[in-house]
Amino acid sequence: MNILIANDDGYDAKGIRTLARRLAVEHDVVIVAPDGERSGYSHFVHFYGGITYRKVFMPDGITTYAVDGAPADCVIFAVKYLFKEKKFDVVLSGINAGLNIGSDIIYSGTCGAAQEGTFHRIPSIAVSLRTRGTSDYDFAADFVAENLEKLMSFATENVTVNVNFPYPNREQIAGVKVAPISFRPYNENYFSKVDENGIEHFYIEGHSKKDHPREDYGDWALCDNGYITVSPIKLFATDEEALRAMQGAEFKL
């Protein structure tokens, strides 16, 4: 298969290199990824500013392009410019350093890149690992390679598949669960720093609320209980029930 891999950690991150090397054993793999960290960019693209790129020669020999843009930029640029004559069978985003689970997907550049692939009608999968300080992505990469066709079968023109690994090692995994996306609130606060020009910059920090009630069957709880979670995410998120209920509404003109 022809595989495009992007991420939000940068083209040289351990997760993306490990995944690409594993898949390159059996497939034609190219990497088009940001030239640096782009976490939290969601589905941002540069509509009003230009991007640049360069080809990077990596020791693993995998064709790699570094893009000065957001994760979703990388997918558009690959599909519409760099490889416009190539038909990709699947877009993979990751392996991300850290989970993209629950309502984190709203902000996730990893998910944004994968959903951009879905937008272009290419089966697309986001992959994330709770690293807990480790740089071992081998099991996650093996799992994706062994289950790639099955994961792709659920990645339709309106669905991106989101996969999260709670641990890096097979021995710690309780199993695999298909799970809905959870609501995952955070305790958030801002702190500031003053730069050399005397301008105050504000930064957000926070941690998920461990005491927040959550469904046992949601991706957040299941992942915390040791399960790999596989979740379908709709690209076009119209609420059909609400749409039907609103059809009879009358609005003033």
Side-chain angles (χ1 to χ4, degrees):
M1 286 190 285
N2 293 325
I3 299 177
L4 168 64
I5 307 183
N7 72 353
D8 68 3
D9 293 327
Y11 72 91
D12 58 349
K14 184 70 180 292
I16 198 171
R17 305 309 317 179
T18 303
L19 181 61
R21 287 195 300 270
R22 175 62 180 84
L23 291 171
V25 174
E26 301 167 323
H27 305 285
D28 181 5
V29 175
V30 299
I31 290 175
V32 182
D35 60 3
E37 175 67 48
R38 299 290 190 279
S39 293
Y41 269 59
S42 186
H43 210 138
F44 175 86
V45 292
H46 282 80
F47 286 129
Y48 301 106
I51 59 174
T52 63
Y53 79 99
R54 58 191 171 93
K55 189 170 186 178
V56 183
F57 296 92
M58 300 296 290
D60 53 29
I62 294 169
T63 299
T64 300
Y65 289 88
V67 177
D68 177 21
D73 281 321
C74 296
V75 175
I76 304 173
F77 194 55
V79 172
K80 295 296 186 180
Y81 181 79
L82 289 174
F83 298 99
K84 62 183 178 181
E85 306 301 327
K86 193 184 191 82
K87 181 183 182 301
F88 288 111
D89 297 294
V90 62
V91 172
L92 290 162
S93 184
I95 302 169
N96 188 68
L99 296 178
N100 281 299
I101 205 161
S103 37
D104 292 357
I105 65 171
I106 297 170
Y107 311 102
S108 167
T110 302
C111 291
Q115 288 194 294
E116 185 61 32
T118 302
F119 184 78
H120 292 283
R121 297 301 192 256
I122 305 170
S124 299
I125 303 160
V127 186
S128 303
L129 168 66
R130 178 187 278 146
T131 55
R132 296 190 183 278
T134 184
S135 59
D136 184 0
Y137 293 84
D138 290 338
F139 168 68
D142 285 339
F143 179 92
V144 172
E146 294 297 326
N147 293 279
L148 184 57
E149 291 188 11
K150 181 171 288 187
L151 292 169
M152 287 173 60
S153 71
F154 298 110
T156 67
E157 63 182 21
N158 190 35
V159 172
T160 305
V161 174
N162 188 37
V163 183
N164 280 281
F165 293 83
Y167 300 110
N169 302 314
R170 170 66 183 86
E171 295 74 24
Q172 297 172 289
I173 301 296
V176 184
K177 294 283 189 180
V178 174
I181 301 298
S182 306
F183 174 56
R184 191 186 191 207
Y186 279 74
N187 290 307
E188 296 163 321
N189 59 78
Y190 279 88
F191 65 95
S192 65
K193 295 180 181 179
V194 178
D195 67 18
E196 63 275 10
N197 298 314
I199 299 172
E200 189 174 16
H201 298 260
F202 290 85
Y203 302 84
I204 191 170
E205 64 178 359
H207 303 281
S208 60
K209 295 181 178 179
K210 299 299 183 183
D211 58 347
H212 182 79
R214 57 186 184 177
E215 310 91 343
D216 292 338
Y217 56 83
D219 62 345
W220 179 21
L222 287 170
C223 209
D224 275 357
N225 287 325
Y227 289 95
I228 298 168
T229 60
V230 181
S231 303
I233 304 170
K234 291 177 69 173
L235 180 63
F236 299 110
T238 300
D239 188 306
E240 299 295 340
E241 183 178 350
L243 184 66
R244 288 190 295 271
M246 293 170 66
Q247 292 300 329
E250 296 183 4
F251 298 94
K252 295 179 181 180
L253 291 176

